[in-house]
Amino acid sequence: MDTDVLIVGAGPTGMMLANELLTAGVSTVLADKLSQRSDLSRAGGVQSRTLEALDQRGLLEPLLATGEHPVITGHFAGIPLPFHANRHRLPWRALPQVEIEGFFEKHLAEHGLHARRDHELVGLAQDDDGVTAAFANGATLRARYLVATDGAHSTVRSLLRAGFPGQPGTVTIAVADVRLGGDAPASHTWNEDGQWAAVFPLGTDPQGRPLRRLVLGGTGRSLPREIPVTEDEIRHGLSTVFGTRVHLLELRYASRITNASRQVEQYRHGRVFLAGDAAHVHLPLGGQGMNTGMQDAFNLGWKLGAAVHGWAPENLLDTYHAERHPVGAAVLRNVRAQSLLMDWAGTRDPEVLAAREIFTDMAQLPDAQRHLADLMSGMAIRYPLHGTEAHSLVGRPAPDLDLGPSRVHELLRSGHGILLDPGDTFAGVAGPWSDRVDRVGQGARTEPMLIRPDGYVCWAGAADPEPALNRWFGEPR
């Protein structure tokens, strides 16, 4: 074997996975067909659950220190979701994808992992022991496992001939990174003719000037993807929606995207796994694409580490599909619902407008706001883990409890599981798993719970934790 894991695609999902594998002590190769990292901003926001994952690995604080990344409010179908104090420990941040990739590239390099550029995958074959990958430059590489994080047009997915059902794109919109002058309102604005614009913060440029993500759609805006987005088109779109209130100062980047919505049927194909846009594509509403991909990686990384080190329980790798496929499907559903309610195509259909009006009124209810905020932040995820019916915490992100000298997110930086044992009841039970599960005894000030390396509770309560230890952390040593 040349390496334990080969990751194809050096975007946020691939880099997040590479960091997880480094944490797990697994040899990793990160390959990408591009000769250099893209300087396009692409995704623009990081949701609460992804921020928690970064914090659990000690990466959030240094990432936020790279520049101005203001707290932002979310939306559902263009309806703003107010920020509820203390609802989520880490509120949304304006963090463009390009800055996340730059941070990860530097961080991984400091730990000896450099992406292999100009490595375009052209073939793969797998057997009972591993995967052999062939690249256009003539290189070949043998790995125990391969993970496809190579985007919406995934070569790995094509080589696997993996089913990718869903809805094809029917309309396009223009997306641009800009500097704007005037009074640009946050979120979405429509005009009477069905044309609309959305404006979101992207932090600042190197000179400290505010950058914005601008989206233009609606009637007459759908053009073939290959037609470049011009400054005149941006200016006309701003004028149509905002009149003279907003004007273009600088166009930094622009492209067209479609409303295609697809999800791969299986996230695992033997020793090959798909994650991020290679597994699911949809409209970029609420930054859910990048965030879902990074969370795919956070779920998969520790499981691959367990398999490589030989302690993975039977079927542990299968839980990646079982847990993440439903999450991806739920994202596609909420994106489709948002697309309808916000009249993405600019039809001005009276029935759609009526439904939106009713939904907007309902979204003012505190319970509805909390539900939508949890949905869009990733905090509503509950994995179907064994024992979910027995305790409300199981399957959910662990609460970030104060454990005296440390908090839960700080304890997870080892990449180990955590057994919170406030009564020192389970010291003897947990001992045989001490190489992969850290026990925290008296002073925990909480009820007993077992937390996986990805921060999800897999057992809680007063019952014997040994079955859960066996299920998630394998045979005792």
Side-chain angles (χ1 to χ4, degrees):
M1 294 291 170
D2 298 307
T3 189
D4 291 323
V5 180
L6 168 62
I7 304 170
V8 180
T13 300
M15 290 184 173
M16 183 82 159
L17 179 59
N19 185 74
E20 285 302 289
L21 295 172
L22 283 176
T23 300
V26 170
S27 65
T28 304
V29 171
L30 180 62
D32 196 282
K33 67 180 180 181
L34 297 179
S35 59
Q36 60 183 12
R37 181 171 53 83
S38 172
D39 60 358
L40 305 180
S41 68
R42 299 181 182 174
V46 181
Q47 61 185 206
S48 300
R49 180 58 199 146
T50 308
L51 293 171
E52 285 195 349
L54 292 166
D55 204 17
Q56 288 165 6
R57 295 297 181 260
L59 299 178
L60 181 58
E61 189 172 328
L63 174 57
L64 294 180
T66 60
E68 281 198 41
H69 307 295
V71 171
I72 56 177
T73 57
H75 72 90
F76 190 92
I79 302 167
L81 298 177
F83 173 68
H84 292 281
N86 301 322
R87 179 64 180 171
H88 302 135
R89 181 174 69 91
L90 298 169
W92 284 63
R93 291 279 188 160
L95 257 167
Q97 177 176 334
V98 65
E99 296 188 29
I100 293 173
E101 291 181 0
F103 170 80
F104 264 115
E105 184 175 63
K106 180 179 179 182
H107 171 76
L108 294 173
E110 290 172 349
H111 289 79
L113 200 162
H114 301 265
R116 299 189 184 183
R117 299 286 179 183
D118 290 312
H119 273 60
E120 181 180 2
L121 186 76
V122 294
L124 66 84
Q126 60 175 313
D127 52 42
D128 291 342
D129 298 319
V131 184
T132 302
F135 298 93
N137 60 10
T140 60
L141 194 143
R142 179 86 170 149
R144 297 181 189 277
Y145 300 98
L146 184 148
V147 184
T149 59
D150 53 343
H153 303 288
S154 170
T155 298
V156 175
R157 190 181 64 233
S158 297
L159 292 171
L160 291 171
R161 297 182 180 178
F164 198 42
Q167 300 175 355
T170 57
V171 297
T172 65
I173 59 169
V175 179
D177 295 352
V178 296
R179 289 196 303 113
L180 297 176
D183 182 21
S187 197
H188 297 69
T189 304
W190 286 260
N191 73 1
E192 294 180 355
D193 297 326
Q195 296 193 47
W196 57 268
V199 182
F200 305 100
L202 274 181
T204 58
D205 67 8
Q207 289 73 43
R209 299 173 298 188
L211 294 175
R212 300 286 186 269
R213 166 64 50 80
L214 172 67
V215 187
L216 295 171
T219 306
R221 293 285 169 201
S222 183
L223 299 174
R225 294 191 69 178
E226 61 272 15
I227 295 180
V229 179
T230 65
E231 289 190 5
D232 285 343
E233 181 179 347
I234 297 297
R235 289 193 177 93
H236 181 265
L238 289 170
S239 175
T240 300
V241 176
F242 299 116
T244 59
R245 288 185 298 152
V246 181
H247 57 277
L248 180 67
L249 295 176
E250 180 187 3
L251 173 61
R252 298 171 64 91
Y253 152 74
S255 67
R256 300 186 197 279
I257 58 175
T258 78
N259 61 339
S261 177
R262 297 184 182 276
Q263 184 181 28
V264 73
E265 291 177 326
Q266 292 292 325
Y267 280 23
R268 181 183 184 184
H269 293 255
R271 289 179 171 270
V272 180
F273 300 81
L274 297 113
D277 288 352
H280 40 77
V281 296
H282 52 79
L283 280 171
L285 289 173
Q288 294 181 91
M290 179 181 71
N291 284 276
T292 304
M294 293 177 73
Q295 292 172 45
D296 288 345
F298 205 58
N299 182 285
L300 179 60
W302 73 274
K303 297 173 182 178
L304 285 174
V308 168
H309 289 307
W311 58 260
E314 184 179 2
N315 299 324
L316 180 66
L317 291 178
D318 289 331
T319 67
Y320 169 63
H321 171 87
E323 293 171 9
R324 294 306 299 173
H325 191 278
V327 171
V331 170
L332 262 65
R333 285 195 299 273
N334 85 56
V335 167
R336 289 169 180 164
Q338 290 187 74
S339 175
L340 175 66
L341 287 170
M342 69 186 297
D343 193 18
W344 186 269
T347 65
R348 311 311 285 167
D349 184 322
E351 294 182 355
V352 172
L353 297 180
R356 178 180 177 81
E357 184 177 351
I358 294 293
F359 187 89
T360 301
D361 289 341
M362 293 176 62
Q364 306 312 305
L365 301 173
D367 284 350
Q369 290 176 353
R370 285 190 288 267
H371 172 75
L372 293 173
D374 288 352
L375 179 72
M376 296 299 291
S377 66
M379 298 302 292
I381 293 171
R382 187 180 190 187
Y383 292 143
L385 309 187
H386 176 73
T388 295
E389 69 284 354
H391 198 287
S392 61
L393 283 173
V394 174
R396 300 187 187 279
D400 190 50
L401 302 165
D402 184 351
L403 304 177
S406 302
R407 300 188 69 90
V408 167
H409 74 269
E410 295 170 327
L411 295 174
L412 287 165
R413 290 174 182 172
S414 66
H416 291 179
I418 303 294
L419 176 62
L420 300 184
D421 181 18
D424 278 335
T425 307
F426 305 115
V429 174
W433 284 273
S434 61
D435 60 326
R436 65 205 81 153
V437 177
D438 299 330
R439 189 183 68 88
V440 179
Q442 288 185 358
R445 296 196 296 275
T446 180
E447 62 182 312
M449 70 182 74
L450 181 62
I451 305 170
R452 304 189 321 190
D454 60 351
Y456 282 81
V457 177
C458 56
W459 168 88
D464 183 3
E466 187 168 354
L469 286 164
N470 274 296
R471 174 176 173 78
W472 295 106
F473 297 97
E475 294 293 325
R477 56 180 171 81

